Amino acid sequence: MKKFILTIAGGGSTYTPGIVKSLLINKEQFPLQELRMYDIDGERQDKVAIIAKEVIKEFQPGLKLVVTTDPKEAFEDSDFIFAQMRVGKYKMRELDEKIPLKYGVVGQETCGPGGLAYGLRTIFPMAELIDLVEKYAKKTYWIVNYSNPAAVVAEAMKRLRPNARIMNICDMPVGTIRNMAAILDVDRSKLVVDYFGLNHFGWFTKVMVEGVDRTDEVRKHAIKHGLLVENMSKVDVQHSDKSWIKNFKNIQYMMELFPEYIPNPYMQYYLLGDHVVEHMDKNHTRANEVIEGREKKLFDAVEEYKNTGKVDLSSFYVGVHGQFIVEVAMSLAFNLRKRFLVIVENNGAVENLSNDAMVEVPAYITNEGPEVVRMGQIPTFYKGLIEQQFATEKLIVDAALEGSYEKAVMALTMSKTVKSALQAKKILDDLIEANKGYWPELK
Ligand code: NAD
Ligand code: G6P
Ligand code: MN
């Protein structure tokens, strides 16, 4: 059986140990010749590698692990690259979240002005990563990309690197499907859903379980409880934090008003913006929750290793996040034609949206990439919202590529989260100050 060389780019990510474990759980079906971790922050990556090494010791002793900041060493002859870089790390995420909140606007890492700011930081490093992969990896490489903001990254890479073999994915749909499966008391692999939208901006239209349409049961639950399930922590650790519980609960308010389709949890930032802002702690956002939670737990385990030589393997978790990226890679590697929700160029998948939009829809994943499932026409309300959001994303990519301040003001003004052009300008000016050294110059 063919063995693969796989590189995790953003090796210092808090998610790396979970992804490594997920890969090794699947070692029989997806055998690795070599695993590599690549990051531009060697110090951070070395810490995470302590945990990754222990996972290898536990699940596949003998597997070669390369931990490097050298692109040649990282990508030479690689078959798969899992990309998960966070440009600016949590320090910048915190500012993305807190600056808009100062103006009473949603502060979120991928939605609203914060997401646009993160986009402006990520577009060029992502293109550089693709260039390094093109230079060193096998010609048949696949980049499976989690790096956020995935919608902006996908739009920008479509324009900047149209021939890249990149599959942009998000774990939120599969996380939402996991909750639906728990509500229906079946395994998530049994669910086949229809869905349309952009990344972090879409709706489920149908939930099938083994040929039976069970959308109505999910709808009824969601109208009463949102997509909260009893004992979230049993279902997934990440999404059981306080802010995620609120998020899944808020689906209830959207469903009461618009019961036809089931929204992606991220829709709360656009449809319930004022409510969300009112219930957010402006001094303690999700970035703080993650720094004090997921990241601290991991780095505490590293410290403990330095003192005791022992590694606590419960300091991280796999979750749908770790499972999903490996499932997608296996479908690409072995032409499994599994059906997943992924981010692809529209080309008619949603009939009444523009062909060049980067939409999130179901697709069968083959060894040549995604075969998109057509979702047909969508109603005016959803179409209008999506077009506004797609225009926002296009404008921020224009701003980056043209170095245009005006386009950046337009992007923030276009975002449904922002009240006026004057407000957009104020937030943008603060973000420019905070992102010095990260953003292209905007003139
Ligand atoms: P993290 O800060 O713990 O890790 C990110 C790592 O990326 C850091 O070690 C950083 O040094 C590194 N990095 C930054 N710029 C880089 C570059 N140019 N090249 C290589 N490495 C670089 O972040 P995290 O919370 O673990 O998340 C990692 C990424 O995955 C983020 O982009 C996050 O938004 C994304 N994510 C996406 C999804 C999704 O659904 N698409 C889900 C979860 C996380
Ligand atoms: C979901 C989204 C990701 C996002 C993540 C943030 O899984 O799909 O795109 O990066 O949440 O999670 P965090 O725990 O870092 O807030
Ligand atoms: Mn996502």
Side-chain angles (χ1 to χ4, degrees):
M1 197 174 190
K2 182 173 162 52
K3 288 188 172 181
F4 299 91
I5 301 179
L6 191 144
T7 310
I8 300 180
S13 156
T14 49
Y15 289 104
T16 297
I19 290 178
V20 172
K21 181 169 170 186
S22 176
L23 281 165
L24 300 192
I25 288 172
N26 287 288
K27 66 181 176 199
E28 304 298 334
Q29 304 94 296
F30 192 44
L32 296 184
Q33 178 187 325
E34 203 176 305
L35 182 61
R36 300 179 187 158
M37 289 167 59
Y38 168 76
D39 206 291
I40 54 170
D41 180 344
E43 207 181 310
R44 181 181 176 91
Q45 176 167 256
D46 284 344
K47 287 194 209 165
V48 175
I50 290 173
I51 312 286
K53 276 181 198 146
E54 191 67 16
V55 176
I56 291 176
K57 208 163 117 196
E58 177 88 9
F59 291 92
Q60 194 180 341
L63 173 67
K64 181 174 174 194
L65 175 72
V66 175
V67 182
T68 183
T69 54
D70 174 45
K72 183 167 187 285
E73 211 186 343
F75 300 119
E76 190 147 55
D77 287 332
S78 250
D79 298 284
F80 279 94
I81 297 87
F82 286 2
Q84 48 166 355
M85 61 161 87
R86 181 186 289 286
V87 180
K89 296 182 275 191
Y90 293 133
K91 189 177 134 262
M92 293 309 294
R93 174 178 183 173
E94 187 176 354
L95 294 171
D96 291 342
E97 293 169 350
K98 289 185 177 169
I99 290 172
L101 278 172
K102 274 197 336 203
Y103 297 90
V105 169
V106 163
Q108 214 282 323
E109 63 158 349
T110 63
C111 304
L116 300 176
Y118 188 11
L120 279 177
R121 287 200 301 279
T122 310
I123 290 171
F124 293 110
M126 196 66 210
E128 278 165 30
L129 179 76
I130 291 175
D131 293 345
L132 293 171
V133 171
E134 292 261 339
K135 185 166 174 196
Y136 296 116
K138 291 214 180 85
K139 292 297 157 232
T140 52
Y141 78 81
W142 274 107
I143 298 174
V144 190
N145 180 51
Y146 262 145
S147 309
N148 266 325
V152 175
V153 168
E155 169 62 21
M157 293 313 111
K158 178 196 76 187
R159 291 200 230 167
L160 285 177
R161 298 292 182 269
N163 299 319
R165 292 168 62 87
I166 183 167
M167 190 70 261
N168 293 296
I169 60 167
C170 168
D171 65 8
M172 192 75 266
V174 70
T176 311
I177 290 169
R178 168 207 58 208
N179 285 23
M180 293 179 183
I183 290 163
L184 298 173
D185 198 19
V186 294
D187 192 84
R188 78 167 165 90
S189 64
K190 299 271 188 295
L191 266 66
V192 178
V193 301
D194 282 354
Y195 181 96
F196 67 79
L198 309 167
N199 179 239
H200 290 187
F201 202 102
W203 290 265
F204 293 86
T205 60
K206 202 184 207 183
V207 182
M208 301 288 289
V209 182
E210 295 180 316
V212 180
D213 187 342
R214 300 189 64 179
T215 320
D216 241 6
E217 287 164 72
V218 178
R219 205 179 264 134
K220 280 193 186 119
H221 180 104
I223 290 172
K224 252 185 156 165
H225 312 288
L227 282 179
L228 261 190
V229 295
E230 270 174 54
N231 201 352
M232 259 315 288
S233 62
K234 255 178 93 182
V235 181
D236 195 311
V237 181
Q238 177 194 359
H239 294 129
S240 64
D241 281 348
K242 216 169 77 193
S243 56
W244 278 106
I245 299 280
K246 271 197 216 166
N247 196 333
F248 284 122
K249 177 76 186 153
N250 280 344
I251 288 183
Q252 176 188 352
Y253 307 123
M254 295 185 267
M255 287 297 290
E256 279 170 359
L257 292 167
F258 317 115
E260 190 172 11
Y261 300 148
I262 300 146
N264 184 305
Y266 279 91
M267 288 313 301
Q268 68 162 356
Y269 297 112
Y270 302 98
L271 298 179
L272 309 174
D274 49 357
H275 172 89
V276 168
V277 169
E278 202 181 306
H279 290 88
M280 259 182 177
D281 181 345
K282 290 170 186 53
N283 301 310
H284 194 271
T285 57
R286 177 67 188 155
N288 303 110
E289 213 177 41
V290 172
I291 293 165
E292 292 155 17
R294 184 170 68 238
E295 189 188 44
K296 181 173 187 303
K297 209 167 166 203
L298 196 64
F299 288 167
D300 281 354
V302 174
E303 279 312 304
E304 194 188 309
Y305 166 80
K306 287 181 181 158
N307 296 328
T308 66
K310 290 203 183 78
V311 174
D312 174 8
L313 288 182
S314 71
S315 58
F316 68 91
Y317 52 89
V318 175
V320 284
H321 181 85
Q323 293 162 4
F324 180 52
I325 193 165
V326 176
E327 288 167 13
V328 171
M330 290 202 293
S331 205
L332 286 165
F334 300 113
N335 200 24
L336 300 180
R337 307 184 67 82
K338 288 235 172 105
R339 180 175 165 139
F340 299 113
L341 299 185
V342 291
I343 303 159
V344 290
E345 200 165 341
N346 185 29
N347 287 329
V350 183
E351 209 179 307
N352 51 348
L353 285 179
S354 99
N355 277 339
D356 69 334
M358 294 304 286
V359 291
E360 196 162 77
V361 286
Y364 294 96
I365 305 300
T366 77
N367 55 1
E368 288 174 1
E371 272 175 21
V372 168
V373 182
R374 288 176 175 261
M375 292 291 106
Q377 301 238 355
I378 59 172
T380 305
F381 176 63
Y382 305 92
K383 179 172 183 282
L385 287 168
I386 288 172
E387 280 170 345
Q388 181 182 15
Q389 177 65 14
F390 179 50
T392 309
E393 289 161 5
K394 278 212 288 204
L395 284 164
I396 206 67
V397 176
D398 290 345
L401 303 193
E402 296 166 23
S404 164
Y405 179 84
E406 188 181 342
K407 290 277 171 71
V409 184
M410 284 177 174
L412 268 76
T413 306
M414 184 66 72
S415 173
K416 187 162 171 49
T417 58
V418 174
K419 288 188 195 74
S420 77
L422 296 174
Q423 188 181 53
K425 181 182 159 37
K426 283 186 198 148
I427 298 173
L428 179 64
D429 289 344
D430 268 19
L431 287 170
I432 288 175
E433 199 51 39
N435 280 279
K436 280 215 172 100
Y438 286 109
W439 276 9
E441 197 189 344
L442 302 179
K443 285 192 209 138

